[in-house]
Structure formats: structure tokens, C-alpha cells
Amino acid sequence: IVGVTGGKQCEIDVLVDATVAWRGRLDVLFNNAGETQAPASLLELEPAALRAEIDTLLTSVVLATRKAALAMRGHGGVILNCSSTAAHRAGSQSAVYSAAKAAVSHFTRCAALELAEQKIRVNAISPGAIVTPLFLKALAVPAGRESEALDLLREVFGKALPAGRAGEPADIAAAAAFL
């Protein structure tokens, strides 16, 4: 597991090239970019924060998909992009985060059409309210209160979701493994 942030092509190249050198080929890429850095308010948004957010959430996905597709050419593979329910409805996240995730969803559809002839399947999953420490960061939960806050999130999300329980990282892992 290697993290690539900010859409840096050299990091993406190293990651894919090292995988191919180690395993002989690349069969699966899971693009999972999810940290938000831009302020929630458009009125407080600075151009540098916008670029950083787009680089993390979209540019890294596009560049990693390109590099992986080049490595998969000839034998096929699977590229899975992590979008968000924020891509499909306004108001649950910042405008920048939502727009970037909407772009990931649309990019996934476009890449799926383009790469199908190479036998490369491209899909996206769009998680919603998943109980993770990322929510704690967004809510500025004080140190030492993380466990209590996660339990509260599970309760609140569970009441709001049709399944009657909060989503957990294992749910996303199961969907990713299936795809």
C-alpha cells in the first residue's frame, strides 16, 4: 500500500513501475483519494487550496489511471476509483470536494468507454457516511475523545441510513474486492 498525494506523476510512476517489477504485471489499481484540505466556504477559498484539493482528489486519479492503463495494455485489468455520494448530491461536503468527486465519477465513465477495448474495466464506488477518523478531523474532535465521537457517529449515521447502521471501512473494502 503506497500513498500518492497531490497527483505527482513521479510518485505514480514509481508506484506502478515498482509493482510491475515486483509482480511482473499490474492487474488492479484502486484510486482512493479522500482527504479534503480546502475550506468548506467558497468565500474563504484561496487558489492554492483549490489547486491542492483538485490535485489530490482528481489529478492523482487521472494520472494513476493513465499510468496503470499503460501497464495493463495487452493483458487487461481493473481500475477502481473511489468517488463519493457528495458527487451526486449537493450539500453534504464542500463545493470543491463535491465537484472534484463528481469529476472522478464522470472521468470513470469516460475511461471505462475508452479502455474497454484494452480489456481494462473501470468502475467507481461512491461511499456515503462511512465512520472513519477522517470525519473526526473534519469535526475537529479533541484528542482523547475519538472513540466516543466514533460511537456517536455510528449512532447518528445508523438512524439516518436505510440499512439502520453506519457504513464501516470494511463495507467499502468488500465492495472494492467484489469489483
Side-chain angles (χ1 to χ4, degrees):
I1 299 172
V2 177
V4 176
T5 58
K8 295 177 184 167
Q9 186 65 51
C10 62
E11 292 179 11
I12 292 166
D13 289 349
V14 167
L15 172 64
V16 172
D17 292 344
T19 302
V20 171
W22 176 50
R23 302 295 292 171
R25 62 192 258 166
L26 180 68
D27 294 310
V28 177
L29 172 72
F30 182 32
N31 282 313
N32 185 26
E35 186 171 27
T36 183
Q37 299 168 356
S41 171
L42 286 174
L43 301 177
E44 297 171 13
L45 181 65
E46 296 292 330
L50 171 63
R51 284 189 292 280
E53 186 100 353
I54 295 300
D55 278 353
T56 297
L57 298 175
L58 177 62
T59 305
S60 62
V61 171
V62 173
L63 294 177
T65 296
R66 177 191 169 277
K67 181 67 177 181
L70 289 168
M72 293 173 181
R73 199 168 32 181
H75 69 274
V78 176
I79 297 171
L80 180 59
N81 297 326
C82 194
S83 183
S84 170
T85 56
H88 312 289
R89 63 174 183 211
S92 64
Q93 293 285 333
S94 76
V96 174
Y97 180 88
S98 296
K101 288 300 188 174
V104 167
S105 292
H106 193 69
F107 169 75
T108 299
R109 290 187 290 273
C110 294
L113 289 173
E114 180 178 340
L115 298 174
E117 67 185 32
Q118 300 291 328
K119 296 184 175 132
I120 300 170
R121 184 167 41 87
V122 186
N123 290 102
I125 55 177
S126 292
I130 305 298
V131 178
T132 67
L134 186 61
F135 270 101
L136 302 183
K137 181 179 175 186
L139 296 172
V141 172
R145 309 267 329 249
E146 296 90 354
S147 180
E148 178 185 341
L150 287 173
D151 289 341
L152 180 60
L153 282 176
R154 282 185 185 92
E155 181 182 336
V156 170
F157 290 168
K159 289 178 182 175
L161 298 172
R165 68 173 185 82
E168 297 285 344
D171 298 319
I172 303 310
F178 173 78
L179 290 170

